[in-house]
Amino acid sequence: MKKHLIMLLLLAALLLLSACGGSPSADPEYTAPIVVGFSQVGAESDWRNANTRSMQTALSAANGFRLILDDAQQKKERQITALRNFIHQGVDYIVLAPTTEDGWDTVLYEARAAGIPVIIIDRMIYGEGQIGLDENGEPLFTCWIGSDFRTQGDKAVRWMEDTFGDEPLHIVHLQGNYGSSAQIGRTASLDAGLAANPHWTLVARDSGDFTQAKAQEIIGTLLARGVSFNVIFAENDNMAYGAIEALKAAGLTPGVDVHIISFDANQRALEMVLTGEISCNVECNPLHGPRVLEVIMQLERGETPPRYTYVEEGVFTIDGLTQDIIDSRGY
Ligand code: GYE
């Protein structure tokens, strides 16, 4: 027994010595990587994949990072578990791309108690203009970087008003996953458009969860039931792709029989704007990696990054769009 204990102690001492000897910290050139835990919504769309790639490229080993990526498959519970794991591992920073706006307080308290800054990207938490504050009025997250989804939706509605004037519109609304800022903002805009334009009718509204497959199913089912409509307001490009497939399968021509309005402006969707299949595509920029990198660098220097950073975004229609413009975009 005693012999075993001595052996174990010797082994432990040896391991410790070799760990020290071989440790990178012995190398004066070496600085430990900054460890970032990134809880990503999922891989539901081209936007999301471009966003993940952007984060991986910016927070790369070459840039001095160790990025721990967790794909939550669009489940908030999985994100909360991921955040707890990051806290447990003692990461230096947490980046959260939240599925929905609500339900983050407890885990944010836990991150703060552990002294880990939390950077929120893409969708908001707490809703438009509301900051989650603790009982002392202190914010529960460090900063947020993303899009103004209500403004995006308003741009789409303005385009519809300008383009169709008094023409009666029969609209099918494909929504993103309920409770996400992208869904809430874009839906609020269409609701305002419906209220302001009595000649617009909402024919059907359903959530396609931002996915091509669900959207294709929704539009296919409506067409099979003989429902007629002339506009699809798709809250992202992938749902527009699904809608286009379903329209084509039913012998309809997107852009002629049915106009499609979409969000994100991925390269694949912009190609469809060029061919006339998508009529209006509102930009939603996913390239947050360099923005997060900048914020982390500011925090490392002891500076205070802005609480909210909104990304500038445009609108694409066939007017003025060229292949060169599409090719030069980063996603
Ligand atoms: O529009 C959609 C994605 O939150 C901005 O989520 C994001 C949205 C984006 O899946 O394609």
Side-chain angles (χ1 to χ4, degrees):
M1 190 66 188
K2 222 176 181 177
K3 224 162 101 190
H4 273 135
L5 195 69
I6 292 167
M7 286 277 284
L8 273 175
L9 282 173
L10 266 173
L11 200 67
L14 267 174
L15 276 174
L16 203 71
L17 270 176
S18 69
C20 289
S23 156
S25 58
D27 176 353
E29 295 290 299
Y30 180 83
T31 43
I34 298 173
V35 182
V36 178
F38 173 34
S39 171
Q40 177 60 292
V41 167
E44 74 284 3
S45 65
D46 290 4
W47 188 101
R48 190 64 54 198
N49 295 337
N51 177 248
T52 301
R53 279 196 304 274
S54 172
M55 291 287 291
Q56 286 170 324
T57 309
L59 306 186
S60 63
N63 284 346
F65 288 88
R66 186 160 79 82
L67 182 67
I68 309 169
L69 173 68
D70 187 276
D71 174 343
Q73 297 173 13
Q74 285 194 291
K75 305 252 178 341
K76 182 164 63 193
E77 298 65 37
R78 290 178 87 122
Q79 293 204 280
I80 291 174
T81 305
L83 259 50
R84 293 218 162 101
N85 284 339
F86 295 152
I87 295 167
H88 191 68
Q89 290 171 63
V91 299
D92 298 311
Y93 295 90
I94 288 173
V95 180
L96 168 65
T99 45
T100 54
E101 292 189 345
D102 60 343
W104 301 102
D105 281 29
T106 311
V107 76
L108 289 183
Y109 271 106
E110 290 167 18
R112 205 183 50 179
I116 303 172
V118 178
I119 300 160
I120 314 281
I121 63 164
D122 170 22
R123 303 170 185 172
M124 288 257 173
I125 57 175
Y126 302 113
E128 184 74 38
Q130 289 172 38
I131 307 175
L133 299 175
D134 69 5
E135 53 288 349
N136 302 317
E138 292 297 322
L140 282 171
F141 60 89
T142 307
C143 61
W144 171 89
I145 301 163
S147 300
D148 185 333
F149 302 109
R150 178 62 202 264
T151 298
Q152 290 177 356
D154 289 349
K155 286 176 185 164
V157 166
R158 202 169 319 122
W159 179 86
M160 288 161 70
E161 290 172 340
D162 292 348
T163 306
F164 300 115
D166 293 337
E167 205 182 308
L169 299 186
H170 300 277
I171 305 168
V172 172
H173 182 190
L174 293 170
Q175 298 173 287
N177 66 288
Y178 294 133
S180 66
S181 307
Q183 177 271 314
I184 292 169
R186 293 165 187 169
T187 294
S189 296
L190 182 59
D191 281 345
L194 285 161
N197 294 278
H199 55 292
W200 292 9
T201 313
L202 184 66
V203 174
R205 162 178 278 176
D206 202 351
S207 174
D209 277 339
F210 288 122
T211 66
Q212 176 167 347
K214 276 202 180 174
Q216 189 165 343
E217 196 183 307
I218 293 167
I219 299 298
T221 305
L222 289 172
L223 292 170
R225 276 179 24 214
V227 178
S228 71
F229 47 88
N230 57 1
V231 168
I232 296 175
F233 186 96
E235 287 184 1
N236 82 340
D237 284 344
N238 288 73
M239 292 196 292
Y241 308 154
I244 288 169
E245 289 300 316
L247 290 172
K248 284 182 173 170
L252 295 168
T253 309
V256 177
D257 300 312
V258 179
H259 283 282
I260 298 173
I261 290 103
S262 175
F263 295 84
D264 288 349
N266 294 296
Q267 278 170 328
R268 182 153 54 128
L270 289 178
E271 301 278 356
M272 296 176 187
V273 174
L274 213 51
T275 59
E277 290 177 317
I278 293 178
S279 303
C280 172
N281 201 338
V282 179
E283 183 185 11
C284 182
N285 191 303
L287 307 179
H288 295 322
R291 300 177 186 122
V292 172
L293 176 64
E294 172 61 20
V295 159
I296 292 179
M297 287 303 124
Q298 287 174 330
L299 292 166
E300 288 287 304
R301 293 194 295 266
E303 297 164 11
T304 309
R307 176 84 55 209
Y308 289 100
T309 303
Y310 285 92
V311 179
E312 283 294 317
E313 292 160 332
V315 178
F316 294 93
T317 64
I318 199 159
D319 296 330
L321 184 62
T322 62
Q323 192 62 48
D324 281 350
I325 294 176
I326 299 175
D327 294 343
S328 66
R329 291 170 57 78
Y331 64 101

